[in-house]
Amino acid sequence: MIRAVIFDMDGVLVDSEMLYLNLRYQFAKEKNPGVTLEELIPTVGRSSEGSWGIVAKAVHNGMRWQELLAEYKEKVVVTYPSLDFTSIFREEAREVLQKLKEKGIRLALASSNGLAIVEKILADNGIRHYFELVVSGESFYRSKPDPEIYIHTAASLGVGAGECLVVEDSTAGITAAHRAGMQVAALVDDRFGFDRSLADFEVGRLRDILELPAFTGKGSLAR
């Protein structure tokens, strides 16, 4: 029985993956004009080390990934609060959250992003009140695909891992939720080559979550 649904933020509630990819691309091109967007597509949905290791290889200017990330945070991440996250919000999320709430499902959000920007996105789009718990990856030593953030979220809600459904999009996020022993609904996004093989269900849009067997008692979606 599913008692709680835990949502990822980026790529799920907001279609932000391409936004962040383009910001990394512009930053990388300042270091090396020969960098291509295609080289950086594998950075999407990875941990900081995995993502910025790829950036460092593409830039190839002698800077370590840690140095590049530190500079990026100093010059680019600080501009995040000025970004318009309402324009990339998945409007159907509001209906999904409301209907899950009406079913008595407990809702939480577990994002690898920083807490300040997560709270801004939720507030700007008027959906913060739906979530009983909001957890940021900056509170943990290990990033997705490590399951730590999901294990912590379930424990904080007081529910078992088997009572949780996680909505994710990226390979790392899907893997983290699977390793935590939770059911996973993967939101399909074929732009970035994500591996969804560990997901229990695939959904083409957020509204499809409401049609999962856990909430209807009948039928099934593609695995």
Side-chain angles (χ1 to χ4, degrees):
M1 176 182 176
I2 296 299
R3 296 175 56 201
V5 176
I6 307 172
F7 287 85
D8 176 40
M9 168 70 81
D10 292 301
V12 175
L13 297 179
V14 286
D15 187 16
S16 54
E17 301 288 23
M18 187 59 75
L19 171 65
Y20 294 142
L21 173 60
N22 279 315
L23 289 173
R24 286 192 294 272
Y25 174 54
Q26 293 304 321
F27 175 81
K29 279 186 68 69
E30 291 178 1
K31 302 293 182 184
N32 177 357
V35 173
T36 66
L37 184 66
E38 288 69 27
E39 287 180 278
L40 300 185
I41 286 178
T43 65
V44 178
R46 290 176 178 261
S47 66
S48 293
E49 181 175 358
S51 177
W52 285 88
I54 292 169
V55 175
K57 183 178 179 179
V59 168
H60 194 59
N61 68 345
M63 293 180 69
R64 295 180 299 122
W65 72 263
Q66 295 95 332
E67 295 171 318
L68 287 166
L69 176 57
E71 184 177 334
Y72 182 79
K73 287 181 176 179
E74 181 181 340
K75 293 182 176 180
V76 182
V77 174
V78 293
T79 69
Y80 280 11
S82 65
L83 299 176
D84 178 15
F85 289 99
T86 62
S87 64
I88 54 174
F89 175 62
R90 298 190 194 278
E91 285 294 338
E92 62 181 6
R94 208 181 315 276
E95 174 193 356
V96 173
L97 294 169
Q98 178 63 37
K99 290 190 173 180
L100 288 174
K101 202 80 168 178
E102 290 171 358
K103 292 176 181 289
I105 302 297
R106 301 174 70 183
L107 301 176
L109 186 138
S111 171
S112 296
N113 218 329
L115 184 60
I117 194 64
V118 168
E119 291 284 8
K120 170 188 165 55
I121 293 171
L122 294 177
D124 285 357
N125 290 290
I127 58 172
R128 177 61 179 88
H129 63 285
Y130 288 112
F131 295 99
E132 179 178 342
L133 178 66
V134 173
V135 182
S136 163
E138 67 186 4
S139 300
F140 303 93
Y141 179 73
R142 298 181 295 274
S143 302
K144 301 173 185 177
D146 190 279
E148 184 179 16
I149 190 171
Y150 283 120
I151 293 171
H152 170 87
T153 301
S156 298
L157 290 174
V159 298
E163 299 175 305
C164 296
L165 172 72
V166 173
V167 186
E168 271 282 3
D169 64 316
S170 70
T171 305
I174 292 167
T175 303
H178 175 78
R179 288 177 178 174
M182 300 174 179
Q183 291 189 54
V184 188
L187 183 62
V188 175
D189 188 337
D190 291 325
R191 293 174 294 178
F192 309 113
F194 293 146
D195 180 359
R196 298 185 293 271
S197 61
L198 293 179
D200 298 280
F201 307 99
E202 292 186 0
V203 293
R205 54 182 186 169
L206 286 178
R207 193 173 288 111
D208 291 340
I209 295 167
L210 300 173
E211 301 303 319
L212 291 175
F215 307 124
T216 64
K218 59 182 180 179
S220 64
L221 293 181
R223 186 182 187 281

